[in-house]
Amino acid sequence: MPKQIVLASGNKGKLAEFSHILAPLGLEVIPQGSLNVSDADETGLSFVENAIIKARHACEITGLPSLADDSGLEVDYLDSAPGIYSARYSGPQATDQQNIDKLLAEMSGVDDAQRSARFRCVLVCMRHAKDPTPLICLGTWEGRILHQTAGNGGFGYDPVFWSPEYGCAAAELTPDQKRKVSHRGKAVAEFERLVAEFLK
């Protein structure tokens, strides 16, 4: 079992989450920035491809196993957009609010029956850059797009995503509530179940 694993992200929340999961395995999670790993060019056409690109990039530069995720929102009425472009839906440097504003404008006048949507998360763990069988964990959170924002929690599209489990916007959930039902929570739970066997 390796002693260290690189997280192909600089997100402090993700670092804390994965450090907690991997600590019992004796694994130290290192953010890629502290090893001078640049962000990979996300040239894939799916969440799976982009997560693999990010994980492989971190492996190649560091020689360590790596962990990457890619996630986003799919809206059925918009033919699964914004999808892999969720973070930059309204432009390369888009803020969460700008992305939400664009989404609400695109969905203006669309009735509830046609507002179905889901968040998806793909986690990829690679033992080395040429790993032919990376560990891939998927999580999906079904819901729909609200007509206006609600709640102050979460991030991204949470204020306009209706959680049927709790009957409110994702931005109105506590972090613990969200973890139980969210796309990332489900992918992380699968990862937690499989990672020890994968890395042994």
Side-chain angles (χ1 to χ4, degrees):
M1 171 98 48
K3 293 282 186 286
Q4 295 177 318
I5 189 166
V6 181
L7 179 62
S9 169
N11 185 294
K12 288 186 172 64
K14 290 179 189 176
L15 179 64
E17 187 169 38
F18 289 117
S19 294
H20 177 73
I21 290 169
L22 295 169
L25 302 180
L27 267 173
E28 180 190 3
V29 184
I30 305 168
Q32 65 176 14
S34 68
L35 297 172
N36 298 314
V37 179
S38 59
D39 288 337
D41 292 327
E42 296 180 38
T43 55
L45 297 177
S46 68
F47 295 124
V48 173
E49 287 176 279
N50 280 337
I52 288 173
I53 287 167
K54 289 189 271 192
R56 183 176 289 131
H57 177 69
C59 281
E60 282 173 343
I61 292 173
T62 65
L64 294 168
S66 71
L67 175 63
D69 82 323
D70 201 47
S71 56
L73 177 70
E74 297 176 357
V75 181
D76 292 325
Y77 183 80
L78 301 176
D79 296 327
S80 299
I84 59 170
Y85 306 107
S86 292
R88 49 192 190 276
Y89 188 38
S90 64
Q93 305 298 322
T95 65
D96 288 349
Q97 190 58 54
Q98 287 169 332
N99 287 332
I100 286 171
D101 290 344
K102 178 176 181 180
L103 177 63
L104 289 178
E106 298 268 1
M107 299 293 288
S108 178
V110 177
D111 65 28
D112 284 351
Q114 293 182 285
R115 299 178 80 92
S116 55
R118 69 208 47 81
F119 279 121
R120 292 205 194 273
C121 176
V122 176
L123 280 180
V124 168
C125 188
M126 298 184 83
R127 291 163 287 209
H128 51 80
K130 293 188 170 71
D131 193 340
T133 53
L135 176 61
I136 300 175
C137 301
L138 311 175
T140 302
W141 188 10
E142 296 284 346
R144 66 176 164 83
I145 302 303
L146 293 164
H147 295 268
Q148 60 193 37
T149 60
N152 300 308
F155 58 92
Y157 296 92
D158 285 358
V160 290
F161 185 81
W162 175 262
S163 163
E165 299 89 350
Y166 290 102
C168 64
E172 295 177 284
L173 301 178
T174 66
D176 279 347
Q177 287 175 321
K178 187 179 174 185
R179 202 172 294 120
K180 286 173 185 164
V181 295
S182 77
H183 52 310
R184 182 167 286 109
K186 291 170 186 172
V188 166
E190 186 182 1
F191 173 76
E192 198 169 4
R193 187 169 58 83
L194 299 173
V195 66
E197 181 70 16
F198 177 73
L199 288 175
K200 71 179 183 184

